[in-house]
Amino acid sequence: MTQIITTISEMRAQVHAWRNAGECVGLVPTMGYLHEGHKSLIERSVADNDRTVVSVFVNPTQFGPNEDLESYPRDLDRDVALVTHAGADVVFHPEPEEMYFPDRSTTVHVEGLGNELCGKSRPIHFDGVCLVVSKLLNITTPDRAYFGQKDAQQLLIVRRMVRDLSIGTDIVGCPIVREPDGLAKSSRNTYLSPAERAAAVVLSRSLACGRAVVESGERSAEAVRAAIRAELATEPLAEPEYVEVVDTNTVSPVDVIAGEVLVAIAVRIGTTRLIDNFFFDPAA
Ligand code: PAF
């Protein structure tokens, strides 16, 4: 049975004991309400490391004032069962008061990479992610930490933060896990009504159109964006927030696809905001 640890001092003591026994450690940071996507990260960590910690913490600092912090789905019992089944050793589940001092005064800001895509509508989001991820890395000092490619901008920002701050953890990006019809797995999919759930398949369908354009040799970012937008327009319930082609180093939009790019979209289906993406490297 997976052990649940709620305090930073106990978490540190456990990692210390593992290290003394010569064991290596993997961390899978999550906000809980785990699904197959998280399970694939946990299984990868269990395969790569002697010990795996899964953090389950709905991080208040990455939610804006009008976002879904209060209503974000939570089910710790179910999460612990999934983590146990996937073979991890510890669920680290601190209360917000354990993680944040009321007078905390430190921010972690990665300059530039958070300006576009999700950063435009969620201005404080990535600072909150960087703060909590740097704390989780400091608490668990893992050899490797696992992040899903669905949150691609998060993955690029966390990699940059870890590089710039000389944090000794390898950041491992893992492929998007999808439903049989193509919808990327997400805890927020539970917000969708049956009609919205059916409409949500337009995200992956539109990205497939964009991928077909770029794989045919087209190098104009606008042509890729236009193909995606045209497919999104076929679904009346879909309201695109952004359709972008960005450089993977700067996360800035490109006109011409000359190096590796991230093709990313955010779409509202009803009141639910969903994201999806793919990476493309013309040299690969
Ligand atoms: O991807 C998430 O679930 C969160 O942003 C993370 C990395 C666990 C930080 O709270």
mmCIF file of all heavy atoms in Angstrom, residues 24 26 35 64 268:
data_model
loop_
_atom_site.group_PDB
_atom_site.id
_atom_site.type_symbol
_atom_site.label_atom_id
_atom_site.label_comp_id
_atom_site.label_asym_id
_atom_site.label_seq_id
_atom_site.Cartn_x
_atom_site.Cartn_y
_atom_site.Cartn_z
ATOM 1 N N CYS A 24 17.497 5.493 -6.016
ATOM 2 C CA CYS A 24 17.209 6.730 -6.752
ATOM 3 C C CYS A 24 15.699 6.996 -6.742
ATOM 4 O O CYS A 24 14.882 6.082 -6.540
ATOM 5 C CB CYS A 24 17.784 6.701 -8.169
ATOM 6 S SG CYS A 24 16.984 5.544 -9.261
ATOM 7 N N GLY A 26 12.164 9.129 -8.216
ATOM 8 C CA GLY A 26 11.420 9.854 -9.247
ATOM 9 C C GLY A 26 10.259 10.594 -8.612
ATOM 10 O O GLY A 26 9.680 10.133 -7.617
ATOM 11 N N HIS A 35 -5.796 10.519 -13.791
ATOM 12 C CA HIS A 35 -6.363 9.761 -14.915
ATOM 13 C C HIS A 35 -5.244 8.988 -15.603
ATOM 14 O O HIS A 35 -4.091 8.997 -15.132
ATOM 15 C CB HIS A 35 -7.096 10.705 -15.866
ATOM 16 C CG HIS A 35 -6.283 11.893 -16.286
ATOM 17 N ND1 HIS A 35 -5.148 11.781 -17.052
ATOM 18 C CD2 HIS A 35 -6.408 13.220 -16.013
ATOM 19 C CE1 HIS A 35 -4.630 12.962 -17.267
ATOM 20 N NE2 HIS A 35 -5.366 13.874 -16.626
ATOM 21 N N GLY A 64 -5.802 31.878 -11.056
ATOM 22 C CA GLY A 64 -6.178 33.291 -11.026
ATOM 23 C C GLY A 64 -7.442 33.470 -10.196
ATOM 24 O O GLY A 64 -8.123 32.492 -9.859
ATOM 25 N N ARG A 268 -12.406 26.930 -25.871
ATOM 26 C CA ARG A 268 -13.483 26.779 -24.890
ATOM 27 C C ARG A 268 -14.592 25.952 -25.496
ATOM 28 O O ARG A 268 -15.056 26.230 -26.603
ATOM 29 C CB ARG A 268 -14.045 28.144 -24.491
ATOM 30 C CG ARG A 268 -13.283 28.733 -23.395
ATOM 31 C CD ARG A 268 -13.867 30.020 -22.842
ATOM 32 N NE ARG A 268 -12.822 30.657 -22.084
ATOM 33 C CZ ARG A 268 -12.469 30.302 -20.841
ATOM 34 N NH1 ARG A 268 -13.135 29.353 -20.205
ATOM 35 N NH2 ARG A 268 -11.475 30.910 -20.232
#
